[in-house]
Amino acid sequence: MSERIIKAFKNAAIEKKNRQDYFNIAVSVDCVIFGYDNHELYVLLMQSDLEEFQGLNSLLGDLVRPSEDLTEASFRILWERTGLQNVYLEQVHTFGKVCRHPSGRVITTAYFSLIDMQHQQLNIAEHQLDWYPVRKVKRLAFDHLEILQLCLQQLQQKVMERPVVFHLLPPLFSLRELQSVFEAILGIELDRRNFRKKIAIKDWIIDTNTLEKEVNHRPGKLYKLKAGLVNNFRPYQ
Amino acid sequence: MSERIIKAFKNAAIEKKNRQDYFNIAVSVDCVIFGYDNHELYVLLMQSDLEEFQGLNSLLGDLVRPSEDLTEASFRILWERTGLQNVYLEQVHTFGKVCRHPSGRVITTAYFSLIDMQHQQLNIAEHQLDWYPVRKVKRLAFDHLEILQLCLQQLQQKVMERPVVFHLLPPLFSLRELQSVFEAILGIELDRRNFRKKIAIKDWIIDTNTLEKEVNHRPGKLYKLKAGLVNNFRPYQ
DNA sequence: TCAAAAGTGTTTGAACTACACCCATGT
DNA sequence: ACATGGGTGTAGTTCAAACACTTTTGA
């Protein structure tokens, strides 16, 4: 099998290499799991158990098994570490520097994921996971800080173009909450009236004719995401 | 070394796997090399030498060596197959389906590249390469058609935002040529006056105070790309 | 009645679209 | 002189930003 792969690539002016050489790269995926709560964007991190990175946090990642697709591996990691299924995942970039992992050659494909951290029950304690405000994350193991930053940047770029933020919110949400999510992601304040106009134009949400409850001010209308706008299991664009 | 990698990933609820299992994924890169000539966008393809895909073309790709970065691998392929150096490369996506390669498990990271096909001398004949109009490519080996389409889409999305098209042109070019490149990439016609206004606003190019020569009509002014706008060797965004 | 957030419209400048005529050069 | 593309401006429209007051509810 693997001899076939090497043969299949023999065509160019490459040197002959033996099996050992070509199958010496491990493949992993790392998931940047974003959550939102109370005007703040969070990322789910675990404690690195690598001695080189003692005391540092890292993203949730794992080696990809030969029998699973890259996306399957990401869904598996989310499932194994958090118990979540049916989450939104989007591939961002593959990091392939020779020395990015201290134990050997590992390339990793980064995905970001958006989840409703208030209403999904995570097995957080069980796996030593914790939510950290993205703003405050200054150091991570490996090149994970770089990965986090690129995923955030990607999220920022897409957030106004496509209806993705709704994965961070419960099924029913107020416009105030929605605006707050945008502000947390973009790191800027938005004008309420202009924001509402923009959202109205996008035609992403539906007025449910219900109101917020248990809130000590005038309750806002609750909206829901329009059906059919999101493909959860779309591995790319 | 590789035992260390497996150990390094032991933390989660993964099953113990032996080395064989984890190092059974090969890693390759595939390059979508775009060129422009005479109102048409081209892509550089080679004949697939895999029996499963006899008669079909494929992108230029190769296995990544354990000792080289992912980007280095792409530059190497470009260099080995075309003799080109210093080209513009941008990572697009990593394709990781289990069955995408008939000979075994190979994940591949796709890059696109933009080169000035009129003025760069390629070793085309030597490697059975050829330029094909992107519009006309209907079938390719592996999942390479999908890769090509995604790269084109990415190029289309970026082309108005960032000064990348200039890599498809010689150092000096007329506005007519520039517009033509945009039209070829986007597959639409543009209004000349509006296009010029838009480009003027971007502040990407400089009037060189020279004129086209050997043209049987009124010669256009020649422009050049403003210095400092492009990082060639930027592996992502 | 107060605090806190909900809800709502108008004005201005910038950018985008559509569109037509004269100009410079080679043959 | 003519054919070919080079070069330019204006009017109408759409989009983004700035900005303030009234309303509803709970305490």
Side-chain angles (χ1 to χ4, degrees), chain A residues 163 167 203-206 224-232 234:
Chain A
H167 299 279
D203 199 26
W204 285 341
I205 62 176
I206 299 174
K224 66 179 179 189
L225 178 60
K226 214 170 167 179
L229 284 181
V230 191
N231 294 11
N232 259 1
R234 195 166 41 170

Side-chain angles (χ1 to χ4, degrees), chain A residues 1-2 4-15 17 19-30 46-47 49-52 61-72 76 80-81 91-99 101-107 109 111 127 146 150 153 157 235-237, chain B residues 1-2 4-15 17 19-30 46-47 49-52 61-72 76 80-81 91-99 101-107 109 111 127 146 150 153 157 235-237:
Chain A
M1 182 72 137
S2 19
R4 280 207 64 202
I5 296 182
I6 296 172
K7 269 202 212 119
F9 281 92
K10 74 185 179 312
N11 43 302
I14 60 175
E15 304 143 36
K17 291 277 184 176
R19 188 185 179 292
Q20 189 75 343
D21 278 339
Y22 277 119
F23 289 89
N24 239 337
I25 303 180
V27 178
S28 70
V29 294
D30 283 297
M46 50 176 272
Q47 290 168 36
D49 51 3
L50 219 59
E51 57 222 49
E52 281 89 347
D62 195 7
L63 291 175
V64 175
R65 298 176 183 164
S67 61
E68 67 188 354
D69 293 350
L70 225 44
T71 35
E72 278 171 29
R76 173 174 58 80
E80 286 175 352
R81 308 290 178 87
Q91 191 192 112
V92 174
H93 192 81
T94 297
F95 293 79
K97 289 224 182 79
V98 171
C99 300
H101 197 296
S103 312
R105 183 72 198 274
V106 186
I107 71 159
T109 300
Y111 286 79
H127 293 101
E146 191 187 351
L150 190 69
Q153 193 181 319
Q157 282 168 10
Y236 53 84
Q237 174 35 304
Chain B
M1 181 74 136
S2 20
R4 281 207 64 202
I5 298 182
I6 295 172
K7 269 203 212 121
F9 281 92
K10 75 185 178 313
N11 43 303
I14 60 175
E15 305 141 37
K17 290 277 183 175
R19 189 187 178 291
Q20 189 73 346
D21 277 339
Y22 277 119
F23 290 89
N24 241 336
I25 303 181
V27 178
S28 70
V29 294
D30 283 296
M46 52 177 270
Q47 290 168 37
D49 51 3
L50 220 58
E51 57 222 51
E52 281 89 346
D62 195 7
L63 291 175
V64 175
R65 298 178 184 163
S67 61
E68 68 187 355
D69 293 351
L70 224 44
T71 35
E72 277 172 27
R76 173 173 58 79
E80 287 175 352
R81 308 291 178 87
Q91 191 191 113
V92 174
H93 193 81
T94 298
F95 293 79
K97 289 225 182 79
V98 171
C99 299
H101 196 295
S103 311
R105 183 71 198 275
V106 186
I107 72 160
T109 299
Y111 287 78
H127 295 100
E146 193 187 347
L150 190 69
Q153 193 182 317
Q157 282 168 11
Y236 52 84
Q237 177 29 300

Side-chain angles (χ1 to χ4, degrees), chain B residues 12 29 82 105 117 119 124 138 160 164 172 205 210 220 222 229 231:
Chain B
V29 294
T82 69
R105 183 71 198 275
M117 65 186 271
H119 296 80
I124 280 190
K138 301 288 185 226
M160 274 299 181
V164 289
L172 296 185
I205 61 177
T210 54
L222 290 175
L229 285 181
N231 293 10

